[in-house]
Amino acid sequence: MDTPIIKEEAKQLIDQLPEEATLDDIEYHLYVRQKIERSQNVVEGGKFITHEDALKQFREWGGK
């Protein structure tokens, strides 16, 4: 994603937080946003396994 777009999205996210938000609050929300975006990219890239496949692998490894 383009840096100016990222900065604008970060500003918008911060503006949506309450006035009493702390730096920890801002950091947390930016972190969550980043994790969601990365996860979306993984799904869009097809680099994931389904829940059913994960359960199957777990059982093959000796899980219940």
Side-chain angles (χ1 to χ4, degrees):
M1 188 174 277
D2 195 9
T3 301
I5 294 172
I6 292 171
K7 287 176 63 175
E8 186 59 37
E9 288 181 1
K11 288 177 188 178
Q12 289 174 4
L13 184 144
I14 291 168
D15 286 342
Q16 292 174 1
L17 295 175
E19 288 299 318
E20 63 274 3
T22 65
L23 286 174
D24 285 339
D25 295 332
I26 294 168
E27 181 180 17
Y28 171 76
H29 282 83
L30 289 171
Y31 171 81
V32 169
R33 164 78 185 197
Q34 179 185 39
K35 291 298 183 181
I36 291 170
E37 188 172 307
R38 284 184 182 172
S39 297
Q40 289 173 333
N41 290 337
V42 167
V43 170
E44 289 172 4
K47 298 179 182 179
F48 67 96
I49 63 171
T50 65
H51 180 73
E52 291 79 18
D53 287 342
L55 286 175
K56 181 180 175 185
Q57 286 181 7
F58 179 71
R59 288 185 188 110
E60 289 172 358
W61 296 335
K64 295 182 179 188

